[in-house]
Amino acid sequence: MGVSELDHAVCRENVLKPMDAEQLREHAHKMVDFIADYYKTIEDFPVLSQVEPGYLRKLLPDSAPDKPESLQSVLDDVQAKILPGVTHWQSPNYFAYFPSNSSVAGFLGEMLSAGINMVGFSWITSPAATELETIVLDWLGKTLKLPEEFLSAGQGGGVIQGTASEAVLVVLLAARDRVLRRVGKNALEKLVVYSSDQAHSALQKACQIAGIHPENCRVLKADSSTNYALNPDTLNQAISRDISIGLLPFFLSATVGTTSSTAVDPLLALGKVAKCNGIWFHVDAAYAGSACICPENRHYIDGVEEADSFNMNAHKWFLTNFDCSPLWVKDRNALIQSLSTNPEFLKNKASQANMVVDYKDWQIPLGRRFRSLKLWMVLRLYGLENLQSYIRNHINLAKYFEGLVLEDKRFEVVTPRTFSLVCFRLLPPDNTEDGGNKLNQDLLDAVNSSGKIFISHTVLSGKYILRFAIGAPLTEEAHVTAAWKVFQDEASALLRSL
Ligand SMILES: *Cc1c(COP(=O)(O)O)cnc(C)c1O
């Protein structure tokens, strides 16, 4: 044997076997035990991580190891060094932003998806991934009673985006290119986008990416008398003004369940205005869409028949582990015309013959995960009745919390509760200059640094407001009761110190 052949033989002996089935079995069982124990003890951690910026660099080596380490040593580091820097979104005492549900079904779906680990950009790269996605989004679309045009049998259909931000971006691009095909590319700087000032910042980001002139993003003042919904007259006036100065209105994004206060824009009336003006009408129901699977809440999306696209985040309040953001469109060709490419290296008979869906043409990236598995598992392992009662339970808990706030005259509920978010604040003693904003900031800091609960805030009409968003899968009435006690105790301490 020559030297180089010898090297090769030695190399072959030691070559890494990174996906050995028996090692997977052993290690994955260990990992599942670790995760199950995490959930069992999740309430022992401060909900909001209390570490300082840069804490981790001090705890980890400067470079990657040359030799392998054991799984146990990694898990020990996770316990000692990583978990302290985790904010526990799955804690039952997590009430910040909006929830981001995990569940056994969602977890198993993620696990299976990680196991299969295919990259399903075209139908041929894993026919089941594409076909299951189409079917599951038809299921969910029917559950939400979306109009037929959003289902796959006609010209429309559903696609799972990673996030609501990507969803609004892709429909904005589709709408932009549709209008530019009609009026010519030079009109880009005349295009105008409409939303209320309560729309999510994802829309602004999408406009930046899509090259919409910054001065043509109409952020219309929401109506404080309707819990900050967008008034259709306000929209109508803005559109007329823009048309009169030669601009081209082309996109409206309405929200069902705004991030600040869960305001519901009046879809039917807004949709009519959009339709009259040939505007693409997008509905962002990222958080509240889940609630609309309950018949008693479905009316919040009445008017969705006027929309061109509709989006909800199953990864928020629908027990589907992050990420999973279903988007439905009525005209899938608008998306495809904007986002498709057809390079030689991806050509195949099924795609060429136009017999299949290639979801790569409905999204920004090429590669895509098998996300439909987890949504399918959530729907099958829980069933609609359980999912509906899951949502109802959180809404009832929010009503309960709202009642507790209303009973304590030191506090006020600031906007009417619609879903499972309560917006409230501590009333300032009479002569407070800033109307109590600093007081409520201090209260937020106090409750969050207690580690007992985690909440977030917003500002509406200049008022600093505490947001208490219920929706974590483990939250029960006792957690809500205890959380209210934290507010009361910290408020008493703050008021005493004034
Ligand atoms: C959460 C949320 C978003 C952004 O969601 P991502 O999936 O993180 O992009 C957008 N709009 C609304 C109304 C939301 O609640």
Side-chain angles (χ1 to χ4, degrees):
M1 235 189 270
V3 173
S4 77
E5 283 165 66
L6 187 73
D7 277 357
H8 190 218
V10 170
C11 234
R12 208 159 44 202
E13 282 293 291
N14 293 337
V15 80
L16 186 64
K17 295 199 183 76
M19 210 23 162
D20 177 79
E22 290 314 318
Q23 191 190 38
L24 173 68
R25 194 185 312 281
E26 184 196 327
H27 283 193
H29 276 126
K30 266 207 185 113
M31 186 59 87
V32 168
D33 282 339
F34 183 88
I35 296 167
D37 288 339
Y38 168 66
Y39 275 93
K40 248 190 167 158
T41 55
I42 197 166
E43 289 189 63
D44 299 346
F45 301 94
V47 189
L48 174 64
S49 169
Q50 308 282 318
V51 300
E52 297 294 329
Y55 89 101
L56 193 53
R57 195 163 279 285
K58 296 184 207 121
L59 299 178
L60 295 186
D62 283 337
S63 54
D66 286 326
K67 301 283 183 212
E69 301 183 51
S70 69
L71 174 60
Q72 193 53 53
S73 73
V74 176
L75 290 180
D76 290 346
D77 273 355
V78 172
Q79 195 73 43
K81 299 169 184 171
I82 301 296
L83 288 184
V86 167
T87 290
H88 301 279
W89 285 66
Q90 303 313 320
S91 164
N93 301 309
Y94 176 96
F95 304 104
Y97 314 112
F98 280 134
S100 183
N101 287 179
S102 74
S103 68
V104 173
F107 177 85
L108 294 177
E110 273 286 301
M111 200 174 176
L112 186 54
S113 164
I116 295 172
N117 201 44
M118 56 89 235
V119 184
F121 42 82
S122 306
W123 177 86
I124 193 168
T125 64
S126 265
T130 295
E131 296 195 12
L132 185 64
E133 186 160 330
T134 307
I135 293 166
V136 169
L137 289 200
D138 279 347
W139 283 10
L140 189 55
K142 285 180 195 165
T143 302
L144 288 163
K145 304 213 164 21
L146 296 184
E148 294 267 323
E149 297 113 294
F150 282 120
L151 305 183
S152 64
Q155 304 302 308
V159 54
I160 301 179
Q161 303 285 329
T163 58
S165 306
E166 291 159 84
V168 72
L169 173 58
V170 296
V171 295
L172 183 72
L173 295 173
R176 179 197 71 183
D177 294 345
R178 188 173 74 177
V179 64
L180 291 182
R181 275 194 299 277
R182 186 162 52 80
V183 298
K185 283 215 157 88
N186 293 338
L188 178 60
E189 61 187 33
K190 291 189 180 164
L191 299 186
V192 190
V193 172
Y194 302 84
S195 73
S196 90
D197 57 3
Q198 299 299 306
H200 194 276
S201 55
L203 176 64
Q204 185 201 333
K205 189 181 277 195
C207 289
Q208 286 166 210
I209 297 172
I212 305 305
H213 196 293
E215 281 170 22
N216 291 350
C217 298
R218 296 283 167 272
V219 178
L220 307 170
K221 201 165 178 313
D223 187 349
S224 61
S225 71
T226 56
N227 182 22
Y228 300 92
L230 177 57
N231 184 327
D233 294 335
T234 309
L235 174 68
N236 222 343
Q237 286 156 17
I239 291 174
S240 304
R241 213 173 317 122
D242 287 328
I243 291 174
S244 75
I245 55 174
L247 295 177
L248 270 173
F250 87 107
F251 191 84
L252 164 67
S253 183
T255 310
V256 175
T258 59
T259 315
S260 276
S261 64
T262 65
V264 176
D265 288 338
L267 302 188
L268 191 61
L270 292 172
K272 293 226 143 75
V273 176
K275 208 172 234 173
C276 285
N277 292 281
I279 291 176
W280 184 295
F281 180 30
H282 177 64
V283 175
D284 173 4
Y287 153 76
S290 301
C292 299
I293 65 162
C294 300
E296 72 273 22
N297 298 326
R298 172 57 179 75
H299 67 94
Y300 291 114
I301 54 169
D302 280 357
V304 68
E305 28 334 320
E306 304 293 327
D308 294 283
S309 48
F310 176 83
N311 168 238
M312 66 163 282
N313 278 354
H315 62 241
K316 272 188 172 148
W317 197 13
F318 206 67
L319 291 170
T320 311
N321 292 39
F322 190 80
D323 51 352
C324 184
S325 185
L327 166 71
W328 290 267
V329 294
K330 278 186 182 165
D331 176 11
R332 58 179 176 255
N333 276 325
L335 271 186
I336 294 167
Q337 282 182 289
S338 203
L339 299 171
S340 79
T341 54
N342 188 22
E344 184 56 39
F345 51 84
L346 297 182
K347 284 187 179 151
N348 65 85
K349 281 188 190 141
S351 299
Q352 300 298 90
N354 241 335
M355 287 157 55
V356 294
V357 170
D358 289 330
Y359 277 127
K360 71 178 175 57
D361 299 334
W362 301 43
Q363 63 170 18
I364 306 289
L366 174 69
R368 60 199 324 273
R369 311 176 60 223
F370 202 162
R371 293 192 188 98
S372 56
L373 274 179
K374 57 190 169 184
L375 187 53
W376 188 50
M377 289 188 71
V378 165
L379 291 167
R380 289 188 64 186
L381 294 184
Y382 298 135
L384 284 177
E385 288 175 10
N386 276 324
L387 291 166
Q388 288 167 344
S389 61
Y390 175 77
I391 296 281
R392 284 186 189 121
N393 179 46
H394 287 148
I395 292 178
N396 285 334
L397 288 178
K399 274 185 201 157
Y400 165 63
F401 184 82
E402 185 185 34
L404 294 173
V405 178
L406 289 168
E407 271 170 28
D408 187 333
K409 298 298 165 208
R410 298 175 301 169
F411 289 87
E412 72 169 343
V413 172
V414 182
T415 57
R417 181 203 51 75
T418 309
F419 302 100
S420 68
L421 172 74
V422 180
C423 291
F424 72 109
R425 64 177 204 139
L426 182 58
L427 288 166
D430 282 346
N431 46 11
T432 322
E433 260 174 43
D434 68 348
N437 286 358
K438 175 155 188 314
L439 181 68
N440 280 283
Q441 268 173 51
D442 290 347
L443 180 55
L444 176 119
D445 288 342
V447 300
N448 285 347
S449 56
S450 78
K452 292 176 189 157
I453 62 173
F454 177 36
I455 62 154
S456 58
H457 79 280
T458 191
V459 173
L460 287 169
S461 302
K463 270 190 202 172
Y464 189 96
I465 291 161
L466 306 178
R467 289 173 75 270
F468 191 77
I470 294 175
L474 293 170
T475 302
E476 294 176 8
E477 186 176 316
H479 300 105
V480 176
T481 310
W484 177 237
K485 179 102 181 16
V486 175
F487 284 111
Q488 288 188 305
D489 291 350
E490 297 294 348
S492 299
L494 267 179
L495 291 172
R496 258 198 315 274
S497 72
L498 287 181

